[in-house]
Amino acid sequence: VDGETDEHLATVDVRIADTFDKRYTGLSNTTELGADEGMLFIHNSEGQRTYVMRNMGFPIDIVFIDANGEITTIHHATVDDDSGFSGTGQYVLEVPYEYTTDNGIAVGDRIEIPEAYR
């Protein structure tokens, strides 16, 4: 959702990573994401996080989201960049590479996370 206009920008069908093992594995064993697919990493609290491209075969956007659903940081992560991607959030959304750019999604916009995952 656009942070200024409340306009709906995109909808992503996500896999949920809400345990340590699921967050550690992430998309490592995935060969590709569909156009509107992603993975939502859920942490117990908001904090500084670093994500890496462990065993990834394709680039992704990594979106850090605070406890209120506001996007704090967006990284466009390529497969050959193994330096780690940091941001502040309780949630981290991984989507296809340039998904955020293609859908006009920016820092300050909001992600609507179903209450069951809050």
Side-chain angles (χ1 to χ4, degrees):
V1 176
D2 187 281
E4 294 179 11
T5 66
D6 287 334
E7 174 189 358
H8 176 267
L9 298 172
T11 300
V12 179
D13 182 23
V14 296
R15 301 169 202 175
I16 301 294
D18 57 356
T19 66
F20 175 82
D21 289 340
K22 289 178 184 177
R23 287 189 300 264
Y24 184 83
T25 302
L27 292 171
S28 296
N29 297 327
T30 304
T31 57
E32 66 181 357
L33 286 174
D36 293 312
E37 292 181 337
M39 179 169 269
L40 181 65
F41 297 80
I42 301 172
H43 297 274
N44 293 330
S45 62
E46 188 172 307
Q48 182 68 22
R49 315 248 176 242
T50 300
Y51 276 61
V52 296
M53 298 288 286
R54 184 181 300 109
N55 299 320
M56 289 291 295
F58 55 95
I60 57 175
D61 283 0
I62 303 173
V63 181
F64 292 83
I65 306 156
D66 73 13
N68 296 318
E70 184 175 327
I71 296 172
T72 61
T73 307
I74 298 173
H75 293 283
H76 305 287
T78 60
V79 175
D80 56 349
D81 189 344
D82 59 359
S83 60
F85 301 91
S86 296
T88 300
Q90 181 170 351
Y91 307 95
V92 178
L93 177 65
E94 294 183 347
V95 290
Y97 190 69
E98 296 292 341
Y99 185 88
T100 55
T101 303
D102 294 345
N103 288 282
I105 298 167
V107 170
D109 290 341
R110 293 185 321 277
I111 305 292
E112 293 181 348
I113 299 169
E115 193 64 37
Y117 300 109
R118 292 187 161 267

